[in-house]
Amino acid sequence: MGLLPRLRTLVTFSVLGVILVFGIRYWLNQKSYLFDEKSIAAIARKHVGTASKKSIEVAFGHVVEDLRVKYKGHILPDEDLQWVFVNAGGWMGSMCLLHASLTEYVLLFGTAVDTTGHSGRYWANITDTVLTGTFYQWQEGSLKRVVYKPGDTVFHAVGEATSVSWAAGTWMVEYGRGFIPSTLTFALADSFFSTTDLLTVFYTVKVYAKALLLEAGFYIGTW
């Protein structure tokens, strides 16, 4: 293949890429959303006291119950809830996915050990409301860290990158809004190329697929 055909191919793919990116941005800006960060944070904060006085398991149980009442039909059933390891950006945690679509997700997240690393840059806004423990965030361009305690909500905007650190026993409720498939690249990269924990990759993809099927089934039933 000569130079000119190669340039044409490159330009074609570049133009298609730009159109795709702007198309997704337009779709994200125009569509309506099921969840919002204030509602998720409010539900989580209701159970901070339970987490400290009883246990995080009890608190998470109440969070799931409240979400099922407010967002009936959009939260995975108990038999599909699974705690799955997440290795990303050098840190290691565990997550339990409650809801996921192409543009939103809600999950429980945390760690039983101290862990630190890179937050990643996402095509999504992410909020975490702390139930127990301590979360540290060191923002790009800053020389100081920010400390978050139970009841606080951490906001991570589209395109931001920070250093993140969780003290052992830090557990939180997380909500993401944006182009969610794009976040899987970061979430699964270490499992592919560092830990080579392909079973974790399988668990993650499986539960995400179940959540997508739940949403598809809900809207098909509504129609």
Side-chain angles (χ1 to χ4, degrees):
M1 182 182 292
L3 179 60
L4 187 57
R6 289 180 181 177
L7 287 175
R8 287 175 178 170
T9 301
L10 178 61
V11 170
T12 299
F13 279 107
S14 298
V15 170
L16 290 175
V18 170
I19 292 173
L20 179 63
V21 168
F22 278 94
I24 292 174
R25 286 187 61 185
Y26 178 80
W27 173 52
L28 293 175
N29 290 333
Q30 297 300 315
K31 77 177 300 294
S32 59
Y33 293 91
L34 177 65
F35 301 87
D36 67 271
E37 59 266 20
K38 291 183 179 179
S39 296
I40 299 299
I43 289 174
R45 277 194 292 269
K46 279 176 55 180
H47 304 293
V48 170
T50 301
S52 63
K53 294 176 183 178
K54 294 183 179 180
S55 69
I56 187 60
E57 290 87 353
V58 173
F60 275 155
H62 291 329
V63 168
V64 173
E65 289 174 5
D66 286 356
L67 289 170
R68 284 187 175 140
V69 170
K70 186 172 179 63
Y71 304 102
K72 188 175 181 179
H74 294 282
I75 303 300
L76 285 168
D78 286 343
E79 58 267 26
D80 289 330
L81 299 184
Q82 179 182 4
W83 283 96
V84 180
F85 278 141
V86 181
N87 290 276
W91 50 261
M92 183 174 184
S94 185
M95 67 102 177
C96 179
L97 188 67
L98 305 179
H99 166 90
S101 66
L102 293 177
T103 57
E104 293 179 283
Y105 71 80
V106 180
L107 55 80
L108 311 175
F109 180 82
T111 175
V113 299
D114 296 331
T115 188
T116 302
H118 190 288
S119 67
R121 294 185 193 271
Y122 306 107
W123 194 351
N125 291 321
I126 297 174
T127 56
D128 289 276
T129 300
V130 182
L131 294 185
T132 64
T134 306
F135 176 76
Y136 304 94
Q137 185 185 63
W138 174 24
Q139 295 185 334
E140 187 176 26
S142 173
L143 301 183
K144 296 180 180 179
R145 70 180 184 181
V146 181
V147 181
Y148 295 90
K149 296 288 187 177
D152 293 338
T153 297
V154 186
F155 182 71
H156 187 99
V158 172
E160 282 189 350
T162 69
S163 172
V164 290
S165 181
W166 295 261
T170 300
W171 299 97
M172 47 184 54
V173 180
E174 181 169 300
Y175 168 61
R177 175 188 290 188
F179 188 53
I180 304 308
S182 69
T183 67
L184 290 176
T185 303
F186 176 77
L188 297 177
D190 280 8
S191 293
F192 268 117
F193 303 111
S194 179
T195 65
T196 62
D197 184 1
L198 299 184
L199 186 58
T200 289
V201 174
F202 170 74
Y203 287 150
T204 303
V205 173
K206 182 178 75 171
V207 72
Y208 184 54
K210 286 182 177 180
L212 291 178
L213 289 173
L214 177 68
E215 284 304 288
F218 178 88
Y219 288 110
I220 290 172
T222 300
W223 293 335

